């Protein structure tokens, strides 16, 4: 009743010496009982004894890929460390430009924050990606609620933004002209791990900028206090509802929403907003045309006024708003983006009548700068991860970092990213000068010009750099569960939001200040070496900077001295 099991000598990792005692035992197994239509007949004791024997045998033979064993090699995944301490270029920039006392305080804050990004924020961002928002139209009893359900990590991101002062720092101006540089550096560390919470923060920053420029009074004073608060219980985020069915950037002819003035001086808004990002925000700024007593409105940009409204009333109900649906997007799935019907939404006019476009211009400037931050930060993160991976992955007998061609590719990506970083930080410096009333006329013109150009260039650049960065991980760079492909999907939006390439090109060249900026750039009369970035050339020549030594348009940017 026994069958002898013949052990084959060519089994992997088997040697006669290590398993010699199996031969001494005779290596007998009970003969398998006959099967019936009711299945295998085996007592509980026999079953347990057979399983124990199987495990012992496999352990003795050390057979790979047996049952639940799937081999002996597992590639170590790349991990992020303290992104501030690992970014020598950022540290060197701050050391070169910031006054010593400011540098000391800012460096300590960024080092602490970099540790928090690695230990807490990065995992929250991944949770936001895995749990996108959902829309609940009705409650269990059939009442319309239009509740946008977001994950706990998304809510925690809002608390962290307040605690870290990611908006407040820019308006407290603790470090005068350098406060914006500090804020941008912090957002630069935060953005790739934020789970796209950078989107509501961009519009929150933009709304605060608009309110500050218009004058903080009346209902705006309360809103500004919430937008710039460090208290998570008081902190608000803002939306920016401008896009309608007829047009996105062309708000002059594309805005159909109307506003009817009420006896108490407020307005009721009626219209359909086709694309509203971060729809779960606490407040928003939006454009509409004021309707007179006869129901007439003025067309064109002169008919548009700027309004502020709170998304929910004191009872927590939507303020005359119906959420029609959430958008299905290629990327940025973490952010709730919706189509909204405004049906009598109570609002306050905060601009002069017909001055809506001019009043909201500051918001567009800030949100475009945030777009640049996210683009440059995305490039930096994928390079950091690829560098980490290259020190762990062995191919053809040596680490990836020891392959010259691979490192040549990494060096090229590094040059691209450093150039974009310098452009970003120059814009942050100019913005700090403007906000503290210390900017020259030339500084203001440069800020006006560089902002759309940087948004245009880095939006395209990020897609190319991140795409090639993912290639550094081989097939793993294409696998969703690694958390890597989301960087490329989200980068794609940088070209689309806050105006497309053609519109940014047109607005940059058509600005009244363009000729002055062009003359200053080409004459080399800019006050600081790091500002000499020829990003605009006379009409008829290429838009991007070029170097006679290289066809790469970013080489000139990275040649700027930091010593």
């Amino acid at each position: 009743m026994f069958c002898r099991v013949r052990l084959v000598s060519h089994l992997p990792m088997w040697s006669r010496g290590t398993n010699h005692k199996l031969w001494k035992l005779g290596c007998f197994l009970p003969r398998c009982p006959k099967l019936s239509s009711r299945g295998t007949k085996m007592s509980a004791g026999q079953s347990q004894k057979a399983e124990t024997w199987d495990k012992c045998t496999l352990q003795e033979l050390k057979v790979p890929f047996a049952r639940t064993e799937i081999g002996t090699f597992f590639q170590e995944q790349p991990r992020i460390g303290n992104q501030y301490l690992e970014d020598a270029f950022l540290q060197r920039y701050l050391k070169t430009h910031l006054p010593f006392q400011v540098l000391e305080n800012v460096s300590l804050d960024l080092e602490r924050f970099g540790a928090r990004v690695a230990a807490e924020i990065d995992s929250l961002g991944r949770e936001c990606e895995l749990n996108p928002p959902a829309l609940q139209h009705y409650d269990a009893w059939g009442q319309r609620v239009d509740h946008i359900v977001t994950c706990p990590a998304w809510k925690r991101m809002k608390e962290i933004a307040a605690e870290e002062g990611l908006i407040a720092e820019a308006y407290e101006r603790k470090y005068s002209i350098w406060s914006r540089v500090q804020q941008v550096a912090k957002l630069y560390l935060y953005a790739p791990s934020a789970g796209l919470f950078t989107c509501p923060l961009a519009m929150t920053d933009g709304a605060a900028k608009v309110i500050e420029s218009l004058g903080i009074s009346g209902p705006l004073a309360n809103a500004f206090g919430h937008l710039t608060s460090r208290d998570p219980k008081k902190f608000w985020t803002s939306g920016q509802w401008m896009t309608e069915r007829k047009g996105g950037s062309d708000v002059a002819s594309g805005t159909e929403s109307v506003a009817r003035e009420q006896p108490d001086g407020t307005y009721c808004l009626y219209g359909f907003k086709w694309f509203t990002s971060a729809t779960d925000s606490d407040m928003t700024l939006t454009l509409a045309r004021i309707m007179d007593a006869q129901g007439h409105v003025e067309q064109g940009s002169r008919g548009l006024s700027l309004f502020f409204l709170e998304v929910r009333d004191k009872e927590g109900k939507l303020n005359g708003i119906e959420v029609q649906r959430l958008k299905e997007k290629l990327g940025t799935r973490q952010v709730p983006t919706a189509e909204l019907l405004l049906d009598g939404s109570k609002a306050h006019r905060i601009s002069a009548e017909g001055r809506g476009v001019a009043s909201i211009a500051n918001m567009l400037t800030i949100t475009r700068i945030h777009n640049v931050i996210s683009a440059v930060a995305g490039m930096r993160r994928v390079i950091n991860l690829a560098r980490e991976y290259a020190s762990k992955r062995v191919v053809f007998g040596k680490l990836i970092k020891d392959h010259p061609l691979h490192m040549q590719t990494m060096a090229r990506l590094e040059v691209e990213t450093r150039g974009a970083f310098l452009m970003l930080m120059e814009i942050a410096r100019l913005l700090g000068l403007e906000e503290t009333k210390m900017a020259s006329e030339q500084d203001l013109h440069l800020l006006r010009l560089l902002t759309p150009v940087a948004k245009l260039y880095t939006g395209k650049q990020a897609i190319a750099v991140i795409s090639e960065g993912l290639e550094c991980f081989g097939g793993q760079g294409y696998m969703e569960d690694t958390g890597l492909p989301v960087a490329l999907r989200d980068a794609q939006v940088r070209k689309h939001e806050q105006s497309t390439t053609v519109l940014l090109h047109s607005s940059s060249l058509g600005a009244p200040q363009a000729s002055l900026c062009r003359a200053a750039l080409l004459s080399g009369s800019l006050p600081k070496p790091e500002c000499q970035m020829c990003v605009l050339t006379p009409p008829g020549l290429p838009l991007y900077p070029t170097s006679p030594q290289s066809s790469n348009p970013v080489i000139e940017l990275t040649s700027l001295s930091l010593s």
Side-chain angles (χ1 to χ4, degrees), residues 32 55 181-182 190 238 267 306-307 353 408 457 471 477:
C32 296
K55 291 178 181 178
V181 170
Q182 180 201 18
Y190 171 77
S238 176
Y267 289 78
L306 181 61
F307 295 86
E353 189 169 336
Q408 182 183 46
Y457 186 74
E471 190 178 346

Side-chain angles (χ1 to χ4, degrees), residues 14-124:
W14 178 85
S15 66
R16 186 176 183 279
T18 57
N19 298 284
H20 183 60
K21 59 183 179 180
L22 291 176
W23 293 102
K24 289 185 176 181
L25 294 173
C27 199
F28 287 97
L29 281 173
R31 186 184 298 273
C32 296
K34 294 182 179 180
L35 297 177
S36 67
S37 61
R38 295 183 180 180
T40 304
K41 295 180 179 179
M42 183 181 289
S43 67
Q46 287 177 316
S47 177
Q48 185 176 1
K49 185 176 180 181
E51 290 179 6
T52 302
W53 192 95
D54 286 348
K55 291 178 181 178
C56 292
T57 303
L58 291 175
Q59 185 175 3
E60 290 287 345
L61 293 175
K62 297 181 180 179
V63 179
F65 308 107
R67 295 200 175 186
T68 57
E69 295 294 330
I70 53 175
T72 57
F73 171 78
F74 297 92
Q75 177 61 51
E76 186 179 355
Q77 70 182 80
R79 300 183 185 278
I80 68 166
N82 187 316
Q83 294 299 282
Y84 177 67
L85 295 180
E86 293 181 1
D87 195 334
F89 197 66
L90 169 60
Q91 294 178 55
R92 207 165 95 197
Y93 177 89
L94 297 175
K95 184 178 180 180
T96 302
H97 292 80
L98 269 57
F100 176 76
Q101 189 61 43
V102 174
L103 173 65
E104 187 176 21
N105 295 333
V106 169
S107 294
L108 288 174
D109 182 56
L110 292 177
E111 182 177 345
R112 177 200 56 79
F113 184 63
R116 188 176 190 182
V117 168
E120 178 185 4
I121 296 174
D122 192 62
S123 60
L124 291 173

Side-chain angles (χ1 to χ4, degrees), residues 109 113 157-174 179-184 186-187 190 197-212 223-231 234-238 282-283 363 366-367 370 373 431 435:
D109 182 56
F113 184 63
M157 283 293 191
K158 183 178 181 181
E159 296 173 354
I160 291 174
E163 294 166 358
E164 293 291 342
L166 295 181
I167 302 301
E169 283 176 341
Y171 297 91
E172 293 168 349
R173 303 203 171 95
K174 179 180 178 181
S179 291
R180 274 293 181 183
V181 170
Q182 180 201 18
Q183 182 211 28
V184 168
K186 206 165 185 176
L187 288 168
Y190 171 77
F197 200 79
T198 47
C199 176
L201 290 184
M203 291 179 286
T204 301
D205 197 353
K209 178 73 171 177
V210 168
I211 293 173
E212 185 180 54
F224 185 81
H226 284 291
L227 295 173
T228 58
S229 176
R230 287 179 178 264
D231 185 348
K234 296 180 180 179
F235 179 60
W236 280 4
T237 55
S238 176
D282 303 279
M283 58 160 280
M363 189 174 205
I366 295 298
T367 52
H370 277 259
I373 295 170
L431 182 60
E435 292 180 327

Side-chain angles (χ1 to χ4, degrees), residues 192-379:
S193 296
L196 260 293
F197 200 79
T198 47
C199 176
L201 290 184
M203 291 179 286
T204 301
D205 197 353
K209 178 73 171 177
V210 168
I211 293 173
E212 185 180 54
S213 67
L214 294 175
I216 305 171
S217 61
L220 291 182
N222 179 57
F224 185 81
H226 284 291
L227 295 173
T228 58
S229 176
R230 287 179 178 264
D231 185 348
K233 295 181 180 179
K234 296 180 180 179
F235 179 60
W236 280 4
T237 55
S238 176
Q240 172 188 308
W241 300 353
M242 293 200 297
T243 304
E244 301 191 8
R245 284 197 181 107
K246 288 181 66 176
S249 299
D250 185 12
V251 294
S253 62
T255 302
E256 299 177 299
S257 297
V258 298
R260 297 186 68 103
E261 189 172 6
Q262 304 301 300
D264 62 357
T266 62
Y267 289 78
C268 284
L269 304 187
Y270 300 87
F272 194 92
K273 298 298 180 179
W274 179 246
F275 197 96
T276 64
S277 285
T279 317
D280 63 331
S281 294
D282 303 279
M283 58 160 280
T284 191
L285 300 184
T286 190
L287 297 172
R289 303 183 187 279
I290 296 177
M291 182 180 291
D292 62 22
Q294 289 73 40
H296 300 145
V297 297
E298 183 176 354
Q299 298 300 320
S301 60
R302 293 183 179 179
L304 292 172
S305 299
L306 181 61
F307 295 86
F308 149 73
L309 65 91
E310 295 182 30
V311 175
R312 294 183 178 273
D313 59 25
K314 294 181 180 179
E315 298 178 358
K317 296 181 180 179
L318 288 173
N319 175 19
I321 300 168
E322 287 189 4
V323 184
Q324 300 299 300
R325 64 168 177 162
L326 293 183
K327 295 287 195 178
E328 294 286 343
K329 298 168 291 182
L330 169 65
T332 66
R333 299 170 186 170
Q334 309 93 317
V335 184
T337 304
E339 296 173 16
L340 301 179
L341 174 67
L342 306 184
D343 186 13
S345 304
K346 185 177 180 179
H348 300 270
R349 179 170 59 84
I350 61 175
S351 73
E353 189 169 336
R355 294 286 296 169
V357 175
S359 299
I360 206 170
N362 278 317
M363 189 174 205
L364 298 179
T365 297
I366 295 298
T367 52
R368 284 172 177 173
I369 292 173
H370 277 259
N371 194 296
V372 177
I373 295 170
S374 293
V376 179
M379 291 188 275

